[in-house]
Amino acid sequence: SQKIEQNSEALNIQEGKTATLTCNYTNYSPAYLQWYRQDPGRGPVFLLLIRENEKEKRKERLKVTFDTTLKQSLFHITASQPADSATYLCALHSSNTGKLIFGQGTTLQVKP
Amino acid sequence: KAGVTQTPRYLIKTRGQQVTLSCSPISGHRSVSWYQQTPGQGLQFLFEYFSETQRNKGNFPGRFSGRQFSNSRSEMNVSTLELGDSALYLCASSLVTGSGANVLTFGAGSRLTVL
């Protein structure tokens, strides 16, 4: 069956360090993958999109990699700040169904 | 420009009742998707509408239905409410790019509590 897996345990890091979040998937052939940020009580906010033929995408302190062989995406936040504390969701566009399917999300806590 | 607006923000219903949630997308966005979010299941896809037609549907029972109007506004309805329907219902609109990438802009959600 199709699965998207993100670390269910919260990730706690110190301010200034690089946070790395993982998104693994099985039985998907995604045309593209997206990362969203969600703060408590609010809807997710789009951060980055990476296509299947792209290896890496950057936006300011954010970097996303996409390895279709490993079926994995890594999301990095460099020089992390307490304001980066939130839940981060990956989402896959299924070429088969056309749906955008989300992982469960990983909660990041950046401590000052 | 205005974001995605969902109403009501909070509501409490009892089992067996039905509820209608409303979503106004960003102006110019013709695609509207609905998701259910619970702590245990995360974001679960309900359905997607484009130009008043349901384009995609998730694995939810027939008690969950939706529609889209000619102005792209959308409603979803849940009939015969069950306790397990308590969740945050999120609406998202999108402007599908020429390459087909569907980037979603979410509303703040409607928090439904079923007692």
Side-chain angles (χ1 to χ4, degrees), chain A residues 32 34 36 38 41-46 49 51 89 93 97-104, chain B residues 9 35 37 39-43 45 56-58 90 99-104 106-108:
Chain A
Y32 54 86
Q34 302 180 36
Y36 288 76
Q38 186 173 23
R42 308 187 75 166
V45 174
F46 170 75
L49 178 150
R51 300 186 186 284
L89 302 152
H93 175 260
T97 65
K99 300 175 188 175
L100 192 63
I101 306 300
F102 284 80
Q104 293 258 39
Chain B
R9 288 293 316 278
Y35 289 83
Q37 188 173 35
Q41 298 294 318
L43 268 163
F45 175 77
N56 246 316
K57 190 177 190 308
L90 290 159
S99 57
N102 207 18
V103 173
L104 302 183
F106 283 88

Side-chain angles (χ1 to χ4, degrees), chain A residues 11-84:
Chain A
L11 178 63
N12 295 298
I13 65 167
Q14 207 64 36
E15 182 176 9
K17 301 291 185 186
T18 296
T20 299
L21 286 69
T22 305
C23 177
N24 295 302
Y25 60 93
T26 54
N27 296 323
Y28 275 105
S29 296
Y32 54 86
L33 183 148
Q34 302 180 36
W35 284 88
Y36 288 76
R37 168 187 172 139
Q38 186 173 23
D39 292 285
R42 308 187 75 166
V45 174
F46 170 75
L47 295 174
L48 279 168
L49 178 150
I50 186 165
R51 300 186 186 284
E52 59 180 337
N53 60 351
E54 297 175 315
K55 296 293 184 188
E56 182 180 298
K57 207 73 167 287
R58 290 176 186 261
K59 179 183 174 183
E60 298 170 354
R61 294 185 296 112
L62 308 181
K63 184 177 86 171
V64 172
T65 63
F66 193 12
D67 189 326
T68 55
T69 302
L70 290 178
K71 296 188 184 297
Q72 180 181 78
S73 175
L74 298 179
F75 177 79
H76 306 272
I77 305 176
T78 58
S80 59
Q81 305 164 0
D84 294 327

Side-chain angles (χ1 to χ4, degrees), chain B:
Chain B
K1 64 185 175 185
V4 178
T5 304
Q6 291 189 245
T7 57
R9 288 293 316 278
Y10 303 92
L11 65 168
I12 300 173
K13 294 284 187 179
T14 56
R15 279 181 300 173
Q17 287 187 310
Q18 66 110 24
V19 67
T20 299
L21 309 178
S22 179
C23 173
S24 293
I26 290 174
S27 177
H29 285 194
R30 295 166 64 190
S31 171
V32 173
S33 300
W34 288 89
Y35 289 83
Q36 180 196 66
Q37 188 173 35
T38 58
Q41 298 294 318
L43 268 163
Q44 300 285 305
F45 175 77
L46 280 157
F47 23 66
E48 180 198 1
Y49 287 88
F50 182 82
S51 293
E52 302 179 66
T53 301
Q54 188 180 88
R55 188 157 70 172
N56 246 316
K57 190 177 190 308
N59 298 321
F60 279 80
R63 300 185 297 107
F64 292 81
S65 63
R67 58 178 174 168
Q68 186 180 33
F69 302 96
S70 58
N71 61 358
S72 293
R73 190 177 71 84
S74 177
E75 288 181 348
M76 68 162 282
N77 185 79
V78 187
S79 62
T80 320
L81 283 166
E82 301 177 357
L83 295 179
D85 296 333
S86 295
L88 180 66
Y89 289 88
L90 290 159
C91 165
S93 73
S94 62
L95 182 66
V96 181
T97 67
S99 57
N102 207 18
V103 173
L104 302 183
T105 302
F106 283 88
S110 293
R111 171 76 63 184
L112 170 65
T113 301
V114 182
L115 303 176

